[in-house]
Structures are given as C-alpha cells and as structure tokens.
Amino acid sequence: MRGLSNDTPGPGLSSAPGPGRVRGSFEAAVAAMAVLAALALLVSGCATGGTGARDEGPAHSDSVAGVAEAKSPSPSATADDHVDAVKLVKDDPNVSAAVKHELKPCVADEYAVDVSYGELTGGTVNDVVVNVMTCGDAVGIGSYVYRATGGTYENVFKAEEPPVYAEIDRGDLVVTKQVYEKGDPVSSPSGENVITYRWTSGRFVQEYSTHNEYSNAVGGDASPAPSGN
C-alpha cells in the first residue's frame, strides 16, 4: 500500500492553499478590476462626447463649417428699405407744384401715399416706387421711381397724368392709367391703359402697352372725372 506524501491529501481531506497561492490570486483579481475600470472609463468618454474620439472626428468639423457658412453675407442682402416717401417727394424738384400742393395729411399725420420696394434698375439697393393719391377718392395723381445713387435717391421716372398708378412686376415697371369718357364717375372709368417699362441703357423704355375696356353696366353716383384726361 502506497504511503501518503505531505503534498497529497488523502481521501476526505482538503488541501489548504499556501501563502504564495493566496497572494497570487489576490494580485490577479486586482489586475482584472483595474482593466475593467479602464475599459468603463473609455466607453463613458466616447458616449458623452466630452473628451472622447467623437469630438475630433468629421462630425465636429462639419458643424464648424456650417456655422461659418451661416455667418457669410447673402448675395441678395440690401440696405434698409425704409425711406421717408413724403419728404422724398416734397424735396424732389422734378415733382410738379400741383402734386406737392395735394400732398397733405388726410387724417392726423397720415398721407395718401403708397410705397413699394424692389429691383428695377439693377442697383445694389432696392429701388423705390411712390404713388401719390387724393385723400377722398384715392385717385393716383403722381407716380415716381427713385434709384439709389451715391447714398441719395435720384428720380428716374415720373408720370403725373391722373389717374395713374405704378407697380413693380417681376423686375419691370407697370404703369396703369385709367381712361374716363365724358360723364364717367370717378369710381367707374371706361377703361385703362397698362404700360410696361424696362430699365435699358440707364433709362426706362416702354416694352408693352395694353388697353382694357370696362363694362358700362355698372351704376353709381356720378362724380367729376379727374382732370388730366
């Protein structure tokens, strides 16, 4: 029968670990915990975007480019559109004395003046279209176009044969002149002439002209037709 050695446990006996084996197991556990902690820290940094690799990737570069692009001026940017149209007309030597006389407040400090802004002459600042009307019947007595030149506005078009009204239509100047026959009330003209002008070689040139006739079946109180026709 083989005898038992000091290193081999017999049946029913357990072998107690020695000091060297306990120390080795403890050091292995500490090393494993350190690896797990480092891995968790790395994953956390990537997910939060605080200092991880995502802060240095292409996504960050794209966002910076977008901000720079948003700050770039738009090619269609223009100066402040608002002008004092009443003062513009009153100070204009090209406006007739008759129109200036009629240019007065209708109620308090409100004037019968329509103002439009848009591109007509190809300048860097919007052109200004001003229509002066009568207070009572809102009949157009003068239409003007002002072009920004050297920091001031220059009169480049005028029509003072009432009733007249000017508008901007897709880069063209459209002037409407109502036509009255004898006995027509102000509210019911017999027709209208619509003339389209285009800015060419530094001035407005007539491009199209259309005449429209209205129905005379519409009644109404007869009022004297505006002078000028």
Side-chain angles (χ1 to χ4, degrees):
M1 183 174 181
R2 181 182 303 176
L4 297 178
S5 67
N6 294 334
D7 296 332
T8 305
L13 299 178
S14 61
S15 174
R21 297 180 62 182
V22 172
R23 185 180 302 111
S25 299
F26 178 77
E27 291 176 351
V30 170
M33 292 178 62
V35 171
L36 291 176
L39 180 60
L41 180 61
L42 178 61
V43 172
S44 175
C46 292
T48 57
T51 57
R54 300 180 75 177
D55 283 353
E56 299 175 355
H60 183 67
S61 300
D62 291 345
S63 64
V64 172
V67 172
E69 183 177 352
K71 291 183 179 179
S72 301
S74 170
S76 61
T78 59
D80 184 11
D81 283 337
H82 181 72
V83 299
D84 187 342
V86 174
K87 186 177 187 303
L88 199 61
V89 172
K90 286 185 175 181
D91 293 345
D92 186 356
N94 295 311
V95 177
S96 68
V99 172
K100 290 182 179 180
H101 177 72
E102 292 295 328
L103 185 56
K104 51 191 175 183
C106 299
V107 178
D109 59 348
E110 297 293 329
Y111 290 80
V113 174
D114 285 350
V115 186
S116 301
Y117 303 92
E119 183 178 342
L120 286 171
T121 66
T124 57
V125 177
N126 280 340
D127 301 297
V128 183
V129 177
V130 181
N131 288 285
V132 180
M133 298 168 289
T134 60
C135 290
D137 300 312
V139 173
I141 58 176
S143 298
Y144 311 93
V145 177
Y146 293 93
R147 184 175 191 265
T149 304
T152 61
Y153 284 95
E154 174 189 5
N155 186 326
V156 292
F157 179 89
K158 73 173 182 177
E160 295 181 327
E161 300 79 23
V164 62
Y165 197 89
E167 299 174 282
I168 301 173
D169 184 8
R170 292 169 291 184
D172 290 334
L173 176 66
V174 179
V175 179
T176 302
K177 298 181 178 181
Q178 292 178 326
V179 177
Y180 288 86
E181 300 293 341
K182 186 176 180 179
D184 287 344
V186 173
S187 59
S188 301
S190 294
E192 66 179 9
N193 293 323
V194 181
I195 307 172
T196 301
Y197 296 90
R198 184 165 296 168
W199 184 259
T200 306
S201 300
R203 64 190 183 95
F204 283 105
V205 178
Q206 180 176 325
E207 289 287 319
Y208 314 103
S209 180
T210 304
H211 175 72
N212 300 317
E213 291 186 353
Y214 299 151
S215 170
N216 55 9
V218 179
D221 296 334
S223 300
S227 59
N229 288 336

